[in-house]
Amino acid sequence: MDGNHENFDRLGALPKERWHGGSVHFIRPNVIHLMRGGVFELCGLKAFVMGGAVSVDKASREPGVSWWPQEVPDDGELAAGIRALDEHGRKVDLVLSHEAPLNIKRAALAGCGSGYGDRTSDPVSNYLQWVDETCDWKLWFFGHHHEDRSFGDEAQYRMLFHDIVEVTRDGRGGLDYQVANDRGVS
């Protein structure tokens, strides 16, 4: 899955293939770019994927070198996501996104000072808020904000930066995750 500082010109030049239910780019045999708006079957779980985010620092970046307008999903990618979710009855096990839904993004940025101003609301976080409110999902993992933190009453939203997580079935039909670190799973 992509974020917001990818070289989208290079990604877009790769052949698009189908893999585990969604569209991908094979960057290397073991490095796979899960494309936006797909529902993938991964290890027996259904995962909705929506990459991309708005760069708050794009004014200091160079277009085509360190910033690409494709960082924000276009209308076709957003519509593809809606179609894929509808095809699965709007029920998935995991949501994997780069940005967070608006309510969680606001919680993540609370106390960050005025640097973010009114930039919490944007097309990506607003779309993901719609996903949050209209779909049935169990765990949501996102990055973008460069911290490792959990949100939600049951820590069902997890912001990842350094952490690697292992998702497991909890024995009650639900899912759980554990943070894996260099000392093993904790």
Side-chain angles (χ1 to χ4, degrees):
M1 176 181 60
D2 55 77
N4 56 313
H5 295 309
E6 318 306 339
N7 184 331
F8 289 99
D9 295 333
R10 289 187 71 191
L11 279 176
L14 294 170
K16 184 167 107 174
E17 300 182 41
R18 294 291 292 174
W19 183 80
H20 290 258
S23 295
V24 300
H25 293 126
F26 282 96
I27 298 168
R28 300 262 188 282
N30 292 334
V31 180
I32 305 165
H33 171 230
L34 306 179
M35 295 176 69
R36 299 170 178 171
V39 173
F40 293 84
E41 300 277 342
L42 304 171
C43 300
L45 301 174
K46 288 183 185 179
F48 174 68
V49 173
M50 182 54 72
V54 173
S55 294
V56 296
D57 62 349
K58 71 180 177 183
S60 65
R61 293 179 172 272
E62 186 177 342
V65 175
S66 59
W67 178 81
W68 287 262
Q70 305 97 306
E71 70 179 13
V72 175
D74 63 31
D75 291 344
E77 292 166 325
L78 299 176
I82 293 169
R83 281 191 306 276
L85 287 166
D86 284 347
E87 289 170 8
H88 291 272
R90 293 200 186 168
K91 184 174 181 167
V92 294
D93 298 302
L94 307 171
V95 177
L96 308 175
S97 61
H98 188 63
E99 183 56 274
L102 182 60
N103 61 330
I104 300 302
K105 181 178 180 179
R106 285 186 172 145
L109 296 177
C112 286
S114 61
Y116 284 94
D118 65 351
R119 293 185 255 181
T120 56
S121 179
D122 64 71
V124 183
S125 57
N126 292 337
Y127 175 87
L128 294 171
Q129 185 66 39
W130 173 87
V131 172
D132 191 7
E133 293 171 358
T134 64
C135 297
D136 181 10
W137 54 271
K138 296 175 183 161
L139 295 174
W140 191 310
F141 298 99
F142 65 98
H144 189 55
H145 299 286
H146 300 199
E147 287 187 57
D148 295 303
R149 288 174 48 198
S150 295
F151 299 88
D153 295 339
E154 299 176 25
Q156 66 270 33
Y157 303 89
R158 180 68 182 190
M159 181 186 338
L160 298 173
F161 184 47
H162 294 292
D163 286 348
I164 298 170
V165 296
E166 178 183 4
V167 176
T168 57
R169 297 197 182 277
D170 68 6
R172 299 179 312 272
L175 298 176
D176 198 5
Y177 65 90
Q178 296 178 319
V179 176
N181 56 36
D182 59 355
R183 295 174 302 280
V185 176
S186 60

